Amino acid sequence: MKNFLNNESAARTCSLIILGFLAAISFTACTQTPPIDPNELVVEASIAELQSAIIDGRITCREVVQAYLDRIEAYDRSTGLNAITELNPRALQRADSLDQALAAGETPGPLFCAPLLVKDNFDTYDLPTTGGSIALAGSIPPDDAFMVRRIREAGAIVIAKTNMAEWAFSPRQTVSSSYDTTANAYAPDRTPAGSSGGTASGVAASFGVAGLGSDTGNSIRGPSSHLSLAGIRSTIGLTSRDGVIPLAFDRDIAGPMARSVEDVARIFNVVAGYDPADPYTEAGKDLKENDYTSFLDPEALKGKRLGVLNVFADPERSDSMVYARFEDALQDLREQGAEIVDFEIDNMRELMRAGLWCGRFRYDMHNYLLSLGADAPMQDVMEVLQTGEYGPDVEGSLRSISEAETEIIHPAERAEPCPDFADHPGRQALLSAVVRSMDEAGIDAFIFPSWSYPPAPLTRANEEYRGDNSQGLIPAAGLPAITVPMGFTYEDLPAGLQIAGRPYSEGLLFGLAYAYEQGTQHRRPPKGFSVIGK
């Protein structure tokens, strides 16, 4: 193996570790050890494990990236998974530059050599971004989305883009007119949910160490639940959506999805924070924690009071196997020191009927298309109804939007105005009711199954869409919520536990999810994606 740390640079690296500059990376050694098989290392690997192996001299960043590329080549098409839309042809070149920087004694970034999968609605200056639509096929934005820029600056490698539901319309399945259908890595005849199903199935199959998705109503937490991943939807205002193709800008959230809570927290450290290009982040400008990994305590559940949100945890409206896993989770939480109580939100049903959805896709897409400059393939997304550049799964929604949004104006300027989140009386009333109800119940967070039913068959993903508990409350109120693996139903179908809290309580949520994850160890890799050559 290439000796990429000379004595001087190795000593310098060790000194940095001793001084604490690399504490967040958790390296455990600075001496060279025998090389390892990269194909074995990358399966289910964490960011820290990859980085430790590189620092130890057991592997290079190039070998790590090549191993992931080999897995994509071996498994994505042959299994019918179809998670990957575009490979980054410069991924190996970027890996070489990181190896060279490390050999020169440079301090690596917190995500150095973390090969990440990025959903096809994140702008990437060097790869097409289609939003799942054939109308944007080949569209290469002029710059990176805020989060993509941040992960690259932190040393991560965008190894590939991933498939998504067209225009992010569907929480049910991941079908695009640009790249077709993504399957569930645990059951190829099942849906990964939508719209971030490509990222979810790709991460589950170890095509990357983690990934980025977006969530307007479900699309980080739902696919993460269906693929035995952890995924977080942040408080609205804590993370930027700049450069992410919008569905509804007053609800859209972007963020990380990974095989462990720790890796979600590591990436969240990098991507959260103020962005002048996203006015919503002004509200959360000073509310980001210094280090979300500092909350990762295996004892974090001790003494916590958790409320079971009964409206989403109803055995009469759940698959019996999923509900059984939820009951198991409640017992596990109790055994880890949490107090479990019933929880209701005052007037939730009435508040949820108060016209909380602002249809704004046409307006938001117009602003996005303007950001593409002269190379934009259109200025009004509704042009696709004339060109026929859409898939059958979205035709009805596009026609409904065309009828409802007859002008390209901000929803607040319509005859019946629909203001942004901070000024929306109905959404603010709902948010106040949630926080007030939590305070009155004396709870730290509330919990429910992320989905009450297992992943539906691909052939009936629309007809059997039921049990999605991520829609409605959490996005409408702008609350943070994290999903974490809760076990499996019917042998191999994942289920997820969702933990939600007060605005800007992400640190607490990370701690609770991590303690539950470490205490239960539910995640296991999907069959059919073993180590190459084994």
Side-chain angles (χ1 to χ4, degrees):
M1 169 174 279
K2 173 184 175 184
N3 182 351
F4 62 95
L5 284 177
N6 59 33
N7 292 337
E8 180 178 352
S9 64
R12 185 181 306 166
T13 302
C14 290
S15 297
L16 288 174
I17 295 171
I18 294 170
L19 290 172
F21 285 87
L22 299 180
I25 306 177
S26 303
F27 297 133
T28 59
C30 295
T31 58
Q32 297 237 5
T33 54
I36 56 178
D37 181 355
N39 293 320
E40 290 186 359
L41 174 65
V42 300
V43 177
E44 294 288 299
S46 68
I47 294 172
E49 287 170 340
L50 294 179
Q51 293 175 336
S52 178
I54 294 168
I55 288 293
D56 288 352
R58 291 177 289 158
I59 200 168
T60 64
C61 183
R62 167 176 268 270
E63 289 172 320
V64 166
V65 171
Q66 186 63 63
Y68 282 115
L69 291 172
D70 290 345
R71 287 186 62 77
I72 293 170
E73 175 65 25
Y75 291 127
D76 188 47
R77 294 293 183 267
S78 67
T79 62
L81 196 65
N82 196 39
I84 304 302
T85 62
E86 299 279 347
L87 293 175
N88 185 351
R90 287 160 289 279
L92 289 172
Q93 180 181 344
R94 175 60 174 151
D96 288 340
S97 69
L98 290 169
D99 283 330
Q100 292 162 8
L102 196 61
E106 296 181 19
T107 303
L111 297 181
F112 93 90
C113 199
L116 299 184
L117 303 175
V118 175
K119 186 177 178 180
D120 189 29
N121 60 346
F122 284 77
D123 279 358
T124 43
Y125 79 90
D126 52 354
L127 292 168
T129 301
T130 79
S133 170
I134 194 68
L136 292 182
S139 175
I140 298 181
D143 55 16
D144 281 339
F146 174 84
M147 286 191 179
V148 174
R149 183 172 74 252
R150 292 292 291 268
I151 62 171
R152 293 206 219 229
E153 290 171 350
I157 298 172
V158 176
I159 193 170
K161 301 290 286 286
T162 56
N163 197 31
M164 60 178 286
E166 188 165 355
W167 299 123
F169 282 176
S170 178
R172 304 173 295 275
Q173 58 183 345
T174 297
V175 179
S176 69
S177 60
S178 48
Y179 296 103
D180 208 0
T181 303
T182 296
N184 188 307
Y186 284 89
D189 63 340
R190 300 272 176 160
T191 178
S195 61
S196 306
T199 296
S201 274
V203 172
S206 293
F207 291 170
V209 71
L212 295 180
S214 64
D215 186 316
T216 306
N218 155 88
S219 298
I220 287 174
R221 294 159 295 144
S224 292
S225 172
H226 276 10
L227 273 301
S228 195
L229 303 177
I232 190 166
R233 176 189 169 93
S234 74
T235 305
I236 194 165
L238 187 59
T239 51
S240 171
R241 291 79 49 78
D242 175 62
V244 179
I245 295 178
L247 174 54
F249 192 71
D250 62 342
R251 289 176 181 245
D252 294 341
I253 294 291
M257 307 161 68
R259 294 184 293 270
S260 70
V261 174
E262 179 181 341
D263 280 354
V264 173
R266 286 181 181 276
I267 299 170
F268 197 77
N269 273 343
V270 171
V271 300
Y274 174 67
D275 174 15
D278 183 344
Y280 276 41
T281 61
E282 187 69 38
K285 189 173 183 178
D286 300 316
L287 297 173
K288 178 187 175 183
E289 301 285 354
N290 290 330
D291 181 7
Y292 288 96
T293 66
S294 68
F295 292 87
L296 303 183
D297 178 4
E299 306 294 320
L301 283 162
K302 285 188 176 180
K304 295 300 189 297
R305 185 174 164 94
L306 305 180
V308 177
L309 187 59
N310 292 317
V311 69
F312 292 153
D314 184 351
E316 298 299 320
R317 292 185 291 178
S318 303
D319 177 87
S320 60
M321 289 285 286
V322 174
Y323 194 78
R325 296 291 79 75
F326 183 63
E327 289 188 312
D328 293 341
L330 297 182
Q331 184 58 32
D332 290 331
L333 292 166
R334 291 188 186 99
E335 290 176 358
Q336 290 182 262
E339 180 184 1
I340 306 298
V341 299
D342 289 337
F343 176 58
E344 304 286 348
I345 297 169
D346 294 340
N347 291 328
M348 176 178 162
R349 293 188 184 278
E350 290 74 14
L351 290 167
M352 291 292 292
R353 296 192 187 105
L356 304 186
W357 175 265
C358 293
R360 51 183 297 159
F361 175 66
R362 188 176 189 177
Y363 170 78
D364 289 337
M365 274 301 302
H366 176 66
N367 288 331
Y368 172 77
L369 291 166
L370 288 176
S371 76
L372 298 180
D375 293 331
M378 55 189 165
Q379 294 298 310
D380 179 3
V381 71
M382 290 299 114
E383 292 176 25
V384 300
L385 287 173
Q386 280 70 54
T387 63
E389 295 175 304
Y390 57 83
D393 201 42
V394 301
E395 180 177 4
S397 295
L398 287 170
R399 295 197 181 281
S400 295
I401 291 167
S402 179
E403 294 171 4
E405 300 178 41
T406 56
E407 298 179 87
I408 303 177
I409 58 173
H410 191 284
E413 300 173 0
R414 294 173 186 160
E416 296 183 10
C418 191
D420 279 339
F421 172 69
D423 301 315
H424 194 293
R427 295 180 69 183
Q428 291 302 314
L430 178 63
L431 172 58
S432 296
V434 173
V435 174
R436 183 177 64 253
S437 298
M438 292 181 69
D439 291 345
E440 291 172 352
I443 61 172
D444 297 287
F446 57 95
I447 57 176
F448 50 91
S450 297
W451 278 62
S452 295
Y453 282 82
L458 273 178
T459 56
R460 296 187 57 80
N462 290 326
E463 295 85 348
E464 295 189 22
Y465 172 61
R466 53 183 178 171
D468 175 1
N469 295 325
S470 296
Q471 303 281 351
L473 173 65
I474 302 300
L479 296 169
I482 189 169
T483 187
V484 62
M486 190 173 69
F488 292 82
T489 63
Y490 305 98
E491 295 187 6
D492 291 315
L493 301 182
L497 173 69
Q498 194 156 161
I499 310 172
R502 296 172 177 82
Y504 303 104
S505 65
E506 281 81 358
L508 170 68
L509 300 186
F510 275 123
L512 299 177
Y514 178 79
Y516 174 75
E517 172 197 59
Q518 295 300 300
T520 56
Q521 297 291 321
H522 282 308
R523 178 169 170 81
R524 64 173 185 255
K527 299 174 183 176
F529 299 93
S530 60
V531 176
I532 294 177
K534 299 292 183 177

